[in-house]
Amino acid sequence: MSSNSPRLPEEPEEFVQSDDAAIGRGVRVSIVAVVALSVLGGSAYFALRPTPTSGPVKVTKVSAPEAAATNALARVPAVRFADVTAASGINFQHQTGAYGDKLLPETMGSGVAFTDLDGDGAPELLFVNSTHWPGKRPADAPPATAALFRNQGKGTFSNATAGSGLDVPLYGMGVTTGDYDNDGKTDVFLSTVGGGRLFHNEGGLKFREVTAVSGVGGDPKDWSTASAFLDFDNDGDLDLFVGNYVRWSPEIDREVGYTLVGVGRAYGPPMNFQGAFPHLYRNEGNGRFTDVSAAAGVQVKNSSTGVPLAKTLGVAPFDYNGDGWMDLIVANDTTQNLLFENQKNGTFKEVGALTGIAFDSYGNTRGAMGVDTARFTADGKAAVGIGNFANEMTAFYVAQGDGSLFTDDAISWGIGPASRLLLKFGFFFFDYDLDGRLDVLTSNGHLEEEITQVQASQSYRQPAQLFWNAGDAGFLSVTPQQSGADLFRPTVGRGSAFADMDGDGDLDAVITEVGGRPMLLRNDQSLGHHFVRLKLIGAKSNRDAIGAWVKLTAGGQSQWRQVMPTKSYLSASELEVTFGLGKAATVDSVEVTWPSGQRQALPSVAIDRLAVVQETP
């Protein structure tokens, strides 16, 4: 760990802190300019307007904006989530390494992968772990490592960590999964404080670290966070995007010296630290990658200070404009979100502000964490959901018109007001009740243990939130009476993922806790709803079919799913796609759009089971 520990950067700290300040000044200057023009325009209007004639006074009632209209017939279904963590054999404990200095990485937590790693059709659980700081591990404490649990079928697990090759101490943050060499086995990339680590799947839940030979380790000074496998150049193999959070070291953290009144030393906010460039690695097809970050245009600088703009905690590969090339949505903490539009020539153009996802509705940045994307309506409307900091609503950017512009419709869709108070980390779409509409789950928890002392409205441990998609009625908050108390038990929630762990067709969930034990939640829905589950295998496309879209129509209603493990906060979900059918007992049509561009119609699909779909060579 010590050899990979980030070192003090050469830039002076006052230059570091100027980054976000410059952004704020730019926004404020723009607002002042707009206000000034409005005042001048208003003065001219009142000076030149004609004198009104007398007449009867008309009073027009003005209504306050409302959330999506509730539907008297829309009733949240009773679907219980049961905490089966201990009963299933999961005994993982997250280690922060905290010893009193309150170093920022300690409170960020880590992610989880919920996906099939041994190829037997049942998803494993891989929990990312941090570790003790150099020289601070108690003599009687074993080194902390990631934890791998083998799915033994029907949702029970056995610990397979020892000897897996993933049992190496590192200050872990996130995980992404993908078969980067198309050998039929899912590989693992871990982001850490100190760069990235790539592990090749050797089969039988054994992994071999190939970081050095692959060239994806980054800089030892990197604090890597959100990462994603994607085929950005459409050549049939998976490339790798790795986001970095801030320029950090213990020395910088101590120099910042952040404190809370009445509490003392506290975890510092990211605006006190300089941003950091992400990395984009192009897969050369021989087990090696080339860092093409600068040439590809994904390293954006603050125009005022020249320092890196990004402070990345979330990434979502998503072909937002439907041109067949993967774009990248990057969620940044206290700086603007970025949307890298694929230019189809190996480069990207940043269009976050132009498309509307860079800021909130008032032109402000927010504390963005986990992110997911979906086509969530019956007509295929796209949405980008981002979990934000406490007292900031969850962002819910919905595509307008031709899909090139997004507006934050969190209030009108019913997610905004209910989400405002909590500090949201994990965010993903999934159809938990199998009715054919994508619902939303967020995992929540604060950064500071003593936060209640300075903000009475806040708590360190916070409940998850589940939003049921009621169609045109928007999203409705689910209560413990409707889904059981286990899901809403307050935790210091961070990463989250989903998969069908017990083979019953519905989607189970897992939430990680910083410094604590995860919560594995079994979906016990018994609504009698049918489903279709598909596993895609690429031929011309990457073998995992990451980036493929599936459109299914049943009962005259269409729904869309993207094959994409990268979701939420620092986490990876299963590759399989699940379509809830509700009471429909037949499927009208299924069409796959592969990353290669090939469209493939499936002649028939059986319900209530998993089908494997292979791309036509």
Side-chain angles (χ1 to χ4, degrees):
M1 178 69 188
S2 58
S3 63
N4 288 333
S5 297
R7 297 188 294 272
L8 189 68
E10 298 177 358
E11 291 85 356
E13 185 59 34
E14 53 269 23
F15 184 62
V16 170
Q17 297 188 27
S18 69
D19 182 11
D20 293 325
I23 296 173
R25 284 195 300 271
V27 172
R28 288 193 292 272
V29 167
S30 299
I31 293 173
V32 169
V34 170
V35 171
L37 288 172
S38 299
V39 170
L40 288 173
S43 300
Y45 167 75
F46 282 105
L48 299 175
R49 68 175 180 164
T51 303
T53 58
S54 59
V57 177
K58 294 183 179 180
V59 178
T60 302
K61 288 186 177 181
V62 178
S63 300
E66 299 177 353
T70 57
N71 186 338
L73 299 178
R75 179 174 297 177
V76 177
V79 175
R80 180 174 179 264
F81 283 88
D83 184 350
V84 296
T85 312
S88 68
I90 302 298
N91 59 357
F92 172 70
Q93 172 82 33
H94 181 256
Q95 172 61 252
T96 68
Y99 60 93
D101 259 13
K102 297 236 173 176
L103 301 176
L104 185 55
E106 297 165 359
T107 195
M108 301 306 292
S110 54
V112 57
F114 203 176
T115 192
D116 184 8
L117 293 173
D118 60 2
D120 66 354
E124 273 66 50
L125 278 163
L126 173 61
F127 295 98
V128 183
N129 204 358
S130 302
T131 193
H132 297 92
W133 296 108
K136 299 297 182 180
R137 178 164 65 91
D140 59 346
T145 74
L148 175 62
F149 291 87
R150 180 196 303 270
N151 192 326
Q152 300 181 122
K154 300 301 180 182
T156 61
F157 295 83
S158 60
N159 196 319
T161 307
S164 66
L166 298 170
D167 51 342
V168 293
L170 44 79
Y171 207 97
M173 292 294 297
V175 56
T176 193
T177 58
D179 181 5
Y180 73 85
D181 58 352
N182 289 328
D183 68 351
K185 298 184 289 292
T186 299
D187 309 301
V188 170
F189 177 84
L190 299 180
S191 58
T192 78
V193 178
R197 310 282 282 270
L198 181 62
F199 296 85
H200 181 264
N201 191 333
E202 302 288 292
L205 291 185
K206 303 298 181 183
F207 294 82
R208 174 172 54 92
E209 184 170 359
V210 293
T211 306
V213 68
S214 68
V216 298
D219 191 304
K221 295 180 292 185
D222 286 344
W223 176 353
S224 57
T225 50
S227 57
F229 282 111
L230 73 157
D231 184 4
F232 80 88
D233 51 5
N234 282 354
D235 65 350
D237 55 31
L238 292 173
D239 312 296
L240 178 64
F241 176 90
V242 181
N244 291 309
Y245 189 32
V246 294
R247 193 75 174 271
W248 182 90
S249 72
E251 293 80 8
I252 294 175
D253 208 326
R254 295 185 187 103
E255 286 182 14
V256 169
Y258 187 72
T259 60
L260 287 176
V261 176
V263 174
R265 170 74 171 157
Y267 293 108
M271 64 275 295
N272 291 335
F273 300 88
Q274 178 181 304
F277 286 139
H279 296 295
L280 180 64
Y281 299 101
R282 185 182 64 218
N283 191 336
E284 302 298 349
N286 56 1
R288 298 177 183 273
F289 292 77
T290 300
D291 189 339
V292 297
S293 312
V298 299
Q299 296 188 333
V300 179
K301 294 181 179 180
N302 181 295
S303 59
S304 299
T305 65
V307 301
L309 176 64
K311 297 183 179 182
T312 301
L313 289 178
V315 60
F318 182 62
D319 179 12
Y320 88 98
N321 55 7
D323 65 357
W325 294 76
M326 292 297 292
D327 311 300
L328 282 163
I329 296 171
V330 178
N332 292 313
D333 191 2
T334 71
T335 63
Q336 68 191 69
N337 301 319
L338 304 172
L339 197 167
F340 291 109
E341 182 184 273
N342 198 321
Q343 301 299 290
K344 311 175 190 178
N345 59 3
T347 69
F348 292 82
K349 178 182 179 182
E350 203 290 298
V351 295
L354 291 175
T355 55
I357 73 162
F359 306 99
D360 70 8
S361 299
Y362 301 96
N364 298 315
T365 60
R366 291 181 282 198
M369 316 287 184
V371 57
D372 195 13
T373 61
R375 300 193 181 278
F376 75 107
T377 62
D379 60 354
K381 192 181 297 294
V384 179
I386 302 176
N388 288 318
F389 202 78
N391 296 313
E392 298 173 342
M393 291 186 294
T394 293
F396 197 72
Y397 299 102
V398 178
Q400 308 298 315
D402 63 358
S404 61
L405 179 67
F406 290 78
T407 59
D408 190 349
D409 293 343
I411 293 177
S412 60
W413 277 98
I415 289 179
S419 68
R420 184 187 63 81
L421 191 63
L422 300 174
L423 201 166
K424 289 76 61 181
F425 273 86
F427 179 106
F428 61 68
F429 291 95
F430 74 145
D431 181 5
Y432 77 91
D433 63 334
L434 300 178
D435 67 351
R437 296 189 296 267
L438 286 169
D439 314 298
V440 166
L441 179 71
T442 69
S443 54
N444 313 310
H446 214 282
L447 302 178
E448 184 59 57
E449 292 185 63
E450 296 86 4
I451 189 62
T452 305
Q453 297 184 35
V454 292
Q455 292 185 44
S457 64
Q458 289 295 316
S459 59
Y460 184 48
R461 289 177 172 80
Q462 300 180 356
Q465 282 192 302
L466 181 62
F467 294 93
W468 179 65
N469 187 341
D472 291 340
F475 288 86
L476 305 180
S477 295
V478 180
T479 67
Q481 290 72 33
Q482 294 156 336
S483 284
D486 290 356
L487 173 61
F488 303 99
R489 177 174 61 83
T491 68
V492 195
R494 293 296 185 262
S496 60
F498 65 82
D500 178 12
M501 70 175 179
D502 47 12
D504 63 357
D506 55 35
L507 297 174
D508 312 292
V510 62
I511 295 174
T512 69
E513 181 173 32
V514 62
R517 298 185 182 279
M519 187 159 52
L520 180 59
L521 296 155
R522 186 185 64 213
N523 186 334
D524 287 339
Q525 70 86 26
S526 55
L527 301 172
H529 288 172
H530 298 293
F531 65 87
V532 166
R533 282 174 51 80
L534 301 175
K535 178 177 177 59
L536 274 58
I537 299 177
K540 299 175 183 176
S541 306
N542 68 88
R543 197 177 192 281
D544 278 344
I546 288 175
W549 278 96
V550 185
K551 178 183 178 182
L552 178 145
T553 302
Q557 296 292 317
S558 295
Q559 45 184 310
W560 290 258
R561 301 288 184 270
Q562 183 185 30
V563 178
M564 182 53 63
T566 300
K567 298 176 182 293
S568 190
Y569 176 70
L570 309 181
S571 297
S573 292
E574 65 178 6
L575 283 167
E576 293 81 0
V577 293
T578 298
F579 294 89
L581 303 181
K583 298 299 184 180
T586 58
V587 173
D588 300 331
S589 65
V590 178
E591 183 180 67
V592 179
T593 302
W594 297 89
S596 65
Q598 180 178 191
R599 292 180 180 270
Q600 185 174 342
L602 306 186
S604 63
V605 176
I607 66 168
D608 297 337
R609 66 188 64 184
L610 174 72
V612 176
V613 180
Q614 295 186 323
E615 182 180 16
T616 303

